[in-house]
Amino acid sequence: MTQEPIGAPPPARPTGGGTKVFLGLLAALAVGGIVYLGVLEARRSQLVPDGASAPAFEMQRHGGGVLKLEEFRGQVVMLDFWATWCPPCREEMPALVKLAKEYESQGLVFLAASRDDGDSAPQLVDSFIRRHLPELKPYVVYASDDMARSFQVSALPTLYFLDREGKVMDAQRGALSEDALRRRIERALKQQ
């Protein structure tokens, strides 16, 4: 080991390393953001397209009975695919229920299509309703795997608006704010 003479200046250190790391991280974040926005757009394009006839469906109603799409001709359907284990779904659901009640007299039908797993779904949903949101009960239906596939549901929540003729007029993956939901509902109800 060599020693520096006493009084000698310390050896030179390379400079600019921290700046290069920072710029590299900044560039990586920018690229990541662009990729993320591209993925969001691609996900939207993978949903049933606006103007297409909604896939025919039959769903079991929570508490018994069956619903079919054709029963809702002449009404706007707000179809939300959700699950009790999905945090964004749980956060969004009170706004969906509130707005469903507010707009049902104007022709809006809300269907909260549970994607909870198989045989345990009714118990999971019932527990969720009792503990968190009793007002949700009349809106809950169960979406089968086939139905979820036909609506191209690959993430939760996924929300569809179907017009009075049963055609897709809007679709969204991911939770929406109450204001964004209200705008979509009002736009859907105004279309004839």
Side-chain angles (χ1 to χ4, degrees):
M1 179 170 145
T2 61
Q3 288 189 337
E4 299 292 326
I6 297 177
R13 294 186 184 160
T15 59
T19 303
K20 288 179 183 177
V21 169
F22 175 75
L23 290 175
L25 286 173
L26 191 60
L29 284 173
V31 168
I34 291 168
V35 168
Y36 176 74
L37 291 174
V39 167
L40 286 180
E41 182 58 32
R43 290 177 124 192
R44 171 61 183 111
S45 67
Q46 293 171 357
L47 293 170
V48 176
D50 293 355
S53 291
F57 60 78
E58 187 174 286
M59 293 183 288
Q60 295 295 317
R61 182 187 284 277
H62 183 71
V66 176
L67 294 177
K68 296 179 181 181
L69 174 61
E70 60 211 32
E71 295 174 29
F72 302 109
R73 295 282 185 227
Q75 298 174 296
V76 171
V77 176
M78 181 171 65
L79 175 62
D80 182 57
F81 293 90
W82 72 291
T84 59
W85 49 261
C86 164
C89 302
R90 293 166 64 114
E91 290 172 24
E92 181 183 51
M93 194 57 72
L96 288 167
V97 170
K98 173 186 173 189
L99 294 169
K101 287 180 176 188
E102 184 177 330
Y103 287 98
E104 65 191 357
S105 66
Q106 296 177 41
L108 180 71
V109 173
F110 175 44
L111 299 174
S114 171
R115 292 293 299 138
D116 284 286
D117 295 328
D119 295 339
S120 62
Q123 292 83 15
L124 294 169
V125 170
D126 202 49
S127 176
F128 176 81
I129 289 170
R130 276 187 280 116
R131 280 196 256 147
H132 302 289
L133 194 59
E135 301 87 12
L136 175 62
K137 188 172 185 171
Y139 304 109
V140 175
V141 292
Y142 297 97
S144 67
D145 291 343
D146 288 340
M147 181 184 172
R149 269 192 297 279
S150 68
F151 276 89
Q152 301 175 17
V153 175
S154 61
L156 297 177
T158 296
L159 180 69
Y160 277 90
F161 283 93
L162 310 178
D163 71 13
R164 297 174 197 278
E165 297 175 8
K167 293 184 179 181
V168 174
M169 57 189 321
D170 193 7
Q172 169 74 36
R173 279 198 179 102
L176 295 169
S177 69
E178 184 176 328
D179 287 341
L181 287 165
R182 184 179 301 280
R183 284 192 301 274
R184 282 179 158 84
I185 289 168
E186 289 177 356
R187 185 173 58 232
L189 290 170
K190 285 179 186 172
Q191 292 186 354
Q192 295 296 332

